Amino acid sequence: MSALPPAVGGLPRTVLRLHRPALLTWTVFVVGVSGWLAWLTKVTANDPDRKGLPCYDVCVDGFGYPVQLSWAGNLIGYGFVGVAAFAGGALIGRELESGTAQLAWTQGVTPVRWLAAKLALPALAVTVGGTVLSLVFRWAFAAHPDLSWENWTWDIAFTARGPLLVAYALCALAVGTLTALWLRRALAALGTAAGAMWLLKSVLTYYRPYLWPALTRTGPHAFDLPDSTWLVNEGSDSHGRFAAYHPASHYWPLHLTETAIVLTLAVLATLLSFRLLKHRTESPA
Protein backbone atom coordinates (compact mmCIF):
# COMPACT_ATOMS: atom_id res chain seq x y z
CA MET A 1 0.00 0.00 0.00
CA SER A 2 1.47 3.33 -1.08
CA ALA A 3 2.13 5.93 1.59
CA LEU A 4 -0.27 8.82 1.46
CA PRO A 5 1.21 12.32 1.20
CA PRO A 6 0.63 14.38 4.32
CA ALA A 7 -0.21 17.58 2.48
CA VAL A 8 -3.82 18.15 1.68
CA GLY A 9 -2.79 19.45 -1.73
CA GLY A 10 -1.61 15.94 -2.62
CA LEU A 11 -5.03 14.37 -2.11
CA PRO A 12 -6.27 14.80 -5.70
CA ARG A 13 -3.10 13.14 -7.02
CA THR A 14 -3.50 10.34 -4.49
CA VAL A 15 -7.12 9.74 -5.52
CA LEU A 16 -6.11 9.73 -9.17
CA ARG A 17 -3.29 7.27 -8.54
CA LEU A 18 -5.37 4.89 -6.44
CA HIS A 19 -8.32 4.84 -8.80
CA ARG A 20 -6.59 5.26 -12.15
CA PRO A 21 -7.77 1.81 -13.37
CA ALA A 22 -11.41 2.75 -12.65
CA LEU A 23 -10.98 6.09 -14.44
CA LEU A 24 -9.42 4.38 -17.45
CA THR A 25 -12.22 1.80 -17.49
CA TRP A 26 -14.83 4.57 -17.43
CA THR A 27 -13.03 6.41 -20.24
CA VAL A 28 -12.89 3.26 -22.36
CA PHE A 29 -16.59 2.67 -21.66
CA VAL A 30 -17.58 6.19 -22.75
CA VAL A 31 -15.41 6.13 -25.87
CA GLY A 32 -16.41 2.58 -26.77
CA VAL A 33 -20.17 3.09 -26.43
CA SER A 34 -19.97 6.43 -28.25
CA GLY A 35 -18.11 4.75 -31.10
CA TRP A 36 -20.64 1.92 -31.14
CA LEU A 37 -23.52 4.40 -31.43
CA ALA A 38 -21.74 6.31 -34.19
CA TRP A 39 -21.19 3.07 -36.13
CA LEU A 40 -24.84 2.09 -35.66
CA THR A 41 -26.04 5.44 -36.92
CA LYS A 42 -23.72 5.90 -39.86
CA VAL A 43 -23.09 2.32 -41.01
CA THR A 44 -25.56 -0.22 -39.64
CA ALA A 45 -28.65 1.91 -40.17
CA ASN A 46 -27.60 2.63 -43.76
CA ASP A 47 -26.88 -0.99 -44.69
CA PRO A 48 -28.23 -1.38 -48.24
CA ASP A 49 -29.17 -5.01 -47.53
CA ARG A 50 -31.73 -3.78 -44.96
CA LYS A 51 -33.06 -0.78 -46.81
CA GLY A 52 -36.73 -1.13 -47.63
CA LEU A 53 -37.30 -4.12 -45.37
CA PRO A 54 -40.49 -4.14 -43.26
CA CYS A 55 -40.02 -2.82 -39.72
CA TYR A 56 -40.66 -6.27 -38.26
CA ASP A 57 -37.81 -7.83 -40.25
CA VAL A 58 -35.40 -5.09 -39.22
CA CYS A 59 -36.44 -5.06 -35.56
CA VAL A 60 -36.06 -8.78 -34.97
CA ASP A 61 -32.60 -8.82 -36.57
CA GLY A 62 -30.18 -9.01 -33.64
CA PHE A 63 -27.56 -7.15 -35.65
CA GLY A 64 -29.90 -4.44 -36.89
CA TYR A 65 -30.04 -0.81 -35.83
CA PRO A 66 -33.13 -0.97 -33.53
CA VAL A 67 -31.96 -3.96 -31.47
CA GLN A 68 -28.41 -2.72 -31.05
CA LEU A 69 -29.70 0.76 -30.18
CA SER A 70 -31.74 -0.86 -27.40
CA TRP A 71 -28.68 -2.72 -26.13
CA ALA A 72 -26.59 0.44 -26.13
CA GLY A 73 -29.39 2.40 -24.46
CA ASN A 74 -29.76 -0.13 -21.66
CA LEU A 75 -26.01 -0.18 -21.13
CA ILE A 76 -25.96 3.62 -20.84
CA GLY A 77 -29.20 3.97 -18.91
CA TYR A 78 -28.21 1.52 -16.17
CA GLY A 79 -24.54 2.39 -15.95
CA PHE A 80 -25.28 4.20 -12.69
CA VAL A 81 -25.57 0.80 -10.97
CA GLY A 82 -21.87 0.30 -11.66
CA VAL A 83 -21.12 3.76 -10.29
CA ALA A 84 -22.94 2.92 -7.05
CA ALA A 85 -21.06 -0.37 -6.75
CA PHE A 86 -17.71 1.37 -7.35
CA ALA A 87 -18.42 4.09 -4.78
CA GLY A 88 -19.62 1.64 -2.15
CA GLY A 89 -16.89 -0.89 -2.79
CA ALA A 90 -13.60 0.48 -4.13
CA LEU A 91 -13.86 4.23 -3.63
CA ILE A 92 -14.92 4.39 0.03
CA GLY A 93 -15.77 0.99 1.47
CA ARG A 94 -12.44 -0.69 0.76
CA GLU A 95 -10.44 2.16 2.27
CA LEU A 96 -12.52 2.19 5.43
CA GLU A 97 -12.30 -1.57 5.77
CA SER A 98 -8.54 -1.74 5.13
CA GLY A 99 -7.65 1.20 7.37
CA THR A 100 -6.24 3.35 4.55
CA ALA A 101 -8.67 6.13 5.38
CA GLN A 102 -7.72 6.13 9.04
CA LEU A 103 -4.06 6.33 8.03
CA ALA A 104 -4.75 9.41 5.95
CA TRP A 105 -6.52 11.08 8.88
CA THR A 106 -3.36 10.74 11.00
CA GLN A 107 -1.23 12.58 8.43
CA GLY A 108 -2.77 16.04 8.59
CA VAL A 109 -5.77 15.29 6.38
CA THR A 110 -9.11 15.90 8.05
CA PRO A 111 -11.89 13.36 7.38
CA VAL A 112 -14.02 16.04 5.70
CA ARG A 113 -11.25 17.04 3.28
CA TRP A 114 -10.46 13.39 2.65
CA LEU A 115 -14.05 12.66 1.66
CA ALA A 116 -14.33 15.83 -0.43
CA ALA A 117 -11.21 14.87 -2.37
CA LYS A 118 -12.45 11.30 -2.81
CA LEU A 119 -15.71 12.52 -4.33
CA ALA A 120 -14.49 15.43 -6.48
CA LEU A 121 -12.68 13.51 -9.21
CA PRO A 122 -15.32 10.73 -9.66
CA ALA A 123 -18.09 13.37 -9.70
CA LEU A 124 -16.27 15.28 -12.45
CA ALA A 125 -15.63 12.07 -14.41
CA VAL A 126 -19.24 10.84 -14.33
CA THR A 127 -20.54 14.32 -15.18
CA VAL A 128 -18.32 14.71 -18.23
CA GLY A 129 -18.71 11.10 -19.36
CA GLY A 130 -22.45 11.05 -18.76
CA THR A 131 -22.89 14.29 -20.72
CA VAL A 132 -20.98 12.85 -23.68
CA LEU A 133 -23.03 9.63 -23.64
CA SER A 134 -26.28 11.56 -23.37
CA LEU A 135 -25.46 13.80 -26.34
CA VAL A 136 -24.29 10.91 -28.52
CA PHE A 137 -27.30 8.75 -27.67
CA ARG A 138 -29.67 11.65 -28.31
CA TRP A 139 -28.13 12.12 -31.74
CA ALA A 140 -28.25 8.39 -32.56
CA PHE A 141 -31.83 8.02 -31.36
CA ALA A 142 -33.08 10.91 -33.49
CA ALA A 143 -31.12 9.99 -36.61
CA HIS A 144 -33.41 7.20 -37.88
CA PRO A 145 -36.87 7.43 -36.31
CA ASP A 146 -38.31 5.34 -39.14
CA LEU A 147 -36.17 2.36 -38.10
CA SER A 148 -37.02 2.35 -34.40
CA TRP A 149 -40.15 0.96 -32.77
CA GLU A 150 -39.64 3.11 -29.67
CA ASN A 151 -40.43 6.76 -28.96
CA TRP A 152 -39.75 9.25 -26.18
CA THR A 153 -41.80 7.26 -23.67
CA TRP A 154 -39.32 4.37 -23.77
CA ASP A 155 -37.56 4.30 -20.40
CA ILE A 156 -34.03 4.31 -21.81
CA ALA A 157 -34.79 7.02 -24.37
CA PHE A 158 -36.43 9.07 -21.64
CA THR A 159 -33.43 8.81 -19.33
CA ALA A 160 -30.47 8.84 -21.68
CA ARG A 161 -31.35 11.88 -23.80
CA GLY A 162 -30.90 14.56 -21.15
CA PRO A 163 -29.37 15.56 -17.81
CA LEU A 164 -31.32 12.86 -15.98
CA LEU A 165 -28.59 10.41 -17.02
CA VAL A 166 -25.94 12.45 -15.21
CA ALA A 167 -28.25 12.99 -12.23
CA TYR A 168 -28.61 9.25 -11.70
CA ALA A 169 -24.83 8.77 -11.90
CA LEU A 170 -24.18 11.50 -9.32
CA CYS A 171 -26.90 10.12 -7.07
CA ALA A 172 -25.34 6.66 -7.36
CA LEU A 173 -21.98 8.11 -6.32
CA ALA A 174 -23.55 9.76 -3.28
CA VAL A 175 -25.62 6.72 -2.28
CA GLY A 176 -22.61 4.43 -2.66
CA THR A 177 -20.58 6.73 -0.43
CA LEU A 178 -23.28 6.91 2.22
CA THR A 179 -23.72 3.14 2.18
CA ALA A 180 -19.98 2.56 2.58
CA LEU A 181 -19.72 4.97 5.51
CA TRP A 182 -22.71 3.31 7.13
CA LEU A 183 -21.67 -0.34 6.66
CA ARG A 184 -17.86 0.09 6.55
CA ARG A 185 -17.57 -3.17 4.62
CA ALA A 186 -16.70 -3.03 0.93
CA LEU A 187 -18.62 -6.05 -0.33
CA ALA A 188 -21.74 -5.31 1.71
CA ALA A 189 -21.71 -1.66 0.67
CA LEU A 190 -21.20 -2.59 -2.98
CA GLY A 191 -24.28 -4.80 -3.11
CA THR A 192 -26.47 -2.55 -0.96
CA ALA A 193 -25.67 0.59 -2.95
CA ALA A 194 -26.30 -1.09 -6.30
CA GLY A 195 -29.59 -2.53 -5.05
CA ALA A 196 -30.71 0.78 -3.57
CA MET A 197 -30.11 2.63 -6.84
CA TRP A 198 -31.89 -0.04 -8.85
CA LEU A 199 -34.87 0.24 -6.51
CA LEU A 200 -34.87 4.04 -6.74
CA LYS A 201 -34.85 3.90 -10.53
CA SER A 202 -37.69 1.37 -10.57
CA VAL A 203 -39.84 3.48 -8.23
CA LEU A 204 -39.31 6.71 -10.15
CA THR A 205 -39.94 4.96 -13.47
CA TYR A 206 -43.26 3.66 -12.14
CA TYR A 207 -44.37 7.10 -10.90
CA ARG A 208 -42.88 9.03 -13.83
CA PRO A 209 -46.17 9.78 -15.65
CA TYR A 210 -47.49 11.42 -12.46
CA LEU A 211 -44.60 13.86 -12.05
CA TRP A 212 -46.33 16.38 -14.32
CA PRO A 213 -50.06 17.06 -14.82
CA ALA A 214 -51.43 15.02 -17.71
CA LEU A 215 -53.86 16.33 -20.29
CA THR A 216 -57.37 14.89 -20.41
CA ARG A 217 -59.46 14.34 -23.50
CA THR A 218 -63.13 13.40 -23.41
CA GLY A 219 -65.72 12.54 -26.04
CA PRO A 220 -69.00 10.74 -26.51
CA HIS A 221 -67.36 8.07 -28.67
CA ALA A 222 -64.10 6.15 -28.80
CA PHE A 223 -61.14 8.07 -30.21
CA ASP A 224 -57.51 7.43 -31.04
CA LEU A 225 -54.56 9.38 -29.68
CA PRO A 226 -51.44 10.12 -31.73
CA ASP A 227 -48.68 7.52 -31.56
CA SER A 228 -46.32 10.04 -29.93
CA THR A 229 -48.50 10.44 -26.82
CA TRP A 230 -47.99 8.66 -23.52
CA LEU A 231 -51.32 7.22 -22.39
CA VAL A 232 -51.66 7.36 -18.60
CA ASN A 233 -55.26 6.30 -18.14
CA GLU A 234 -58.40 5.78 -20.20
CA GLY A 235 -61.91 4.50 -19.75
CA SER A 236 -65.59 5.37 -19.81
CA ASP A 237 -67.90 7.31 -17.53
CA SER A 238 -71.37 8.77 -17.69
CA HIS A 239 -70.18 11.41 -20.16
CA GLY A 240 -68.55 8.98 -22.60
CA ARG A 241 -64.90 8.14 -23.19
CA PHE A 242 -61.94 9.83 -21.50
CA ALA A 243 -58.16 9.57 -21.71
CA ALA A 244 -55.39 11.11 -19.60
CA TYR A 245 -52.14 11.41 -21.53
CA HIS A 246 -48.86 13.24 -22.02
CA PRO A 247 -48.10 14.71 -25.44
CA ALA A 248 -44.54 14.72 -26.74
CA SER A 249 -44.19 18.33 -25.55
CA HIS A 250 -44.31 17.06 -21.95
CA TYR A 251 -40.98 15.27 -22.32
CA TRP A 252 -38.86 18.09 -20.92
CA PRO A 253 -41.18 18.99 -18.00
CA LEU A 254 -41.27 15.34 -16.96
CA HIS A 255 -37.56 14.84 -17.58
CA LEU A 256 -36.45 17.93 -15.67
CA THR A 257 -38.82 17.21 -12.77
CA GLU A 258 -37.34 13.75 -12.31
CA THR A 259 -33.85 15.21 -12.70
CA ALA A 260 -34.55 17.67 -9.88
CA ILE A 261 -35.80 14.84 -7.64
CA VAL A 262 -32.74 12.68 -8.27
CA LEU A 263 -30.31 15.57 -7.77
CA THR A 264 -32.06 16.50 -4.52
CA LEU A 265 -31.60 12.93 -3.30
CA ALA A 266 -27.94 13.11 -4.36
CA VAL A 267 -27.40 16.28 -2.34
CA LEU A 268 -29.16 14.80 0.70
CA ALA A 269 -27.08 11.62 0.50
CA THR A 270 -23.89 13.68 0.23
CA LEU A 271 -24.78 15.83 3.22
CA LEU A 272 -25.68 12.74 5.24
CA SER A 273 -22.35 11.19 4.25
CA PHE A 274 -20.36 14.13 5.63
CA ARG A 275 -22.50 14.21 8.76
CA LEU A 276 -22.07 10.48 9.34
CA LEU A 277 -18.33 10.69 8.75
CA LYS A 278 -18.01 13.54 11.21
CA HIS A 279 -20.06 11.63 13.79
CA ARG A 280 -18.03 8.47 13.36
CA THR A 281 -14.65 10.20 13.56
CA GLU A 282 -15.55 12.40 16.52
CA SER A 283 -17.12 9.57 18.53
CA PRO A 284 -14.85 7.55 20.80
CA ALA A 285 -13.81 4.19 19.37
Side-chain angles (χ1 to χ4, degrees), residues 34-132:
S34 298
W36 180 18
L37 287 169
W39 179 269
L40 281 176
T41 304
K42 291 298 185 180
V43 178
T44 305
N46 294 316
D47 187 344
D49 293 335
R50 293 179 173 85
K51 285 291 185 180
L53 289 176
C55 180
Y56 174 78
D57 293 336
V58 177
C59 293
V60 299
D61 182 355
F63 296 97
Y65 169 83
V67 175
Q68 290 199 54
L69 184 67
S70 296
W71 293 346
N74 279 283
L75 196 59
I76 293 171
Y78 285 92
F80 65 86
V81 176
V83 175
F86 165 72
L91 183 66
I92 304 296
R94 185 174 62 189
E95 297 206 12
L96 290 173
E97 188 173 12
S98 65
T100 305
Q102 290 82 350
L103 176 61
W105 303 339
T106 64
Q107 297 184 359
V109 178
T110 65
V112 169
R113 290 187 176 182
W114 170 83
L115 183 57
K118 296 289 288 184
L119 293 179
L121 182 61
L124 177 62
V126 299
T127 299
V128 173
T131 300
V132 171

Side-chain angles (χ1 to χ4, degrees), residues 32-269:
V33 174
S34 298
W36 180 18
L37 287 169
W39 179 269
L40 281 176
T41 304
K42 291 298 185 180
V43 178
T44 305
N46 294 316
D47 187 344
D49 293 335
R50 293 179 173 85
K51 285 291 185 180
L53 289 176
C55 180
Y56 174 78
D57 293 336
V58 177
C59 293
V60 299
D61 182 355
F63 296 97
Y65 169 83
V67 175
Q68 290 199 54
L69 184 67
S70 296
W71 293 346
N74 279 283
L75 196 59
I76 293 171
Y78 285 92
F80 65 86
V81 176
V83 175
F86 165 72
L91 183 66
I92 304 296
R94 185 174 62 189
E95 297 206 12
L96 290 173
E97 188 173 12
S98 65
T100 305
Q102 290 82 350
L103 176 61
W105 303 339
T106 64
Q107 297 184 359
V109 178
T110 65
V112 169
R113 290 187 176 182
W114 170 83
L115 183 57
K118 296 289 288 184
L119 293 179
L121 182 61
L124 177 62
V126 299
T127 299
V128 173
T131 300
V132 171
L133 289 172
S134 176
L135 292 174
V136 174
F137 183 83
R138 185 175 181 83
W139 163 72
F141 184 81
H144 301 283
D146 56 316
L147 295 181
S148 178
W149 68 88
E150 303 288 358
N151 58 25
W152 69 276
T153 65
W154 178 38
D155 177 42
I156 300 304
F158 185 93
T159 302
R161 294 189 301 134
L164 182 58
L165 182 68
V166 176
Y168 270 111
L170 291 174
C171 188
L173 181 64
V175 169
T177 300
L178 178 60
T179 304
L181 289 168
W182 175 38
L183 298 176
R184 291 188 285 187
R185 293 292 183 271
L187 188 59
L190 182 155
T192 302
M197 285 305 303
W198 190 283
L199 179 61
L200 173 64
K201 180 67 162 58
S202 299
V203 170
L204 288 178
T205 299
Y206 178 81
Y207 286 104
R208 181 174 294 156
Y210 309 104
L211 298 179
W212 193 260
L215 301 181
T216 301
R217 179 178 173 181
T218 60
H221 307 292
F223 51 83
D224 293 325
L225 295 172
D227 293 336
S228 61
T229 60
W230 184 353
L231 182 63
V232 178
N233 188 26
E234 67 175 342
S236 302
D237 56 24
S238 59
H239 302 289
R241 299 285 300 176
F242 70 89
Y245 66 96
H246 291 291
S249 60
H250 281 194
Y251 169 73
W252 281 112
L254 287 165
H255 185 97
L256 294 178
T257 300
E258 187 170 343
T259 300
I261 293 172
V262 176
L263 286 178
T264 299
L265 293 175
V267 171
L268 290 175

